[in-house]
Amino acid sequence: FVELVAEGPQKVKWFVSHWWGTCFRNTLDMLLYHAELRRCDLRNDAYWICTFANRQNDLEELKYIDLNETPFVRAIMGETCEGTVMC
């Protein structure tokens, strides 16, 4: 999804961990609340959400033996990631 809407690579500012059972509207409300509290610039501060960051129809990139190579760890451990948001 992000490949369709982004103009280029995104630098992760916040890693989002969510429960698949949460209504998506509630997740958005929680993220907007978080952004307000942290005074985020929603045009420039990227939230990494696996649903949109990973290709859900091709999860080959998740089959790494070394966890450090997975998109999740790369996002969390990236230089620009400030923390994790739990939704």
Side-chain angles (χ1 to χ4, degrees):
F1 176 77
V2 76
E3 294 166 342
L4 299 174
V5 297
E7 294 178 9
Q10 306 294 296
K11 293 183 179 181
V12 176
K13 186 158 187 178
W14 298 101
F15 178 91
V16 178
S17 180
H18 67 93
W19 177 55
W20 280 95
T22 302
C23 174
F24 186 65
R25 179 68 218 173
N26 293 346
T27 300
L28 288 178
D29 288 342
M30 288 184 272
L31 292 174
L32 288 171
Y33 179 67
H34 175 269
E36 180 182 330
L37 289 178
R38 295 293 185 153
R39 298 183 181 170
C40 294
D41 175 358
L42 293 177
R43 296 215 177 263
N44 296 305
D45 295 339
Y47 283 79
W48 192 95
I49 307 171
C50 68
T51 306
F52 304 113
N54 290 324
R55 292 183 181 133
Q56 298 298 310
N57 64 333
D58 179 11
L59 298 176
E60 279 295 313
E61 63 187 347
L62 302 180
K63 293 185 178 179
Y64 288 103
I65 293 173
D66 181 357
L67 286 178
N68 292 315
E69 296 298 319
T70 64
F72 301 97
V73 174
R74 290 195 325 254
I76 292 171
M77 301 302 290
E79 291 178 8
T80 60
C81 186
E82 291 188 15
T84 301
V85 180
M86 306 294 285
C87 294

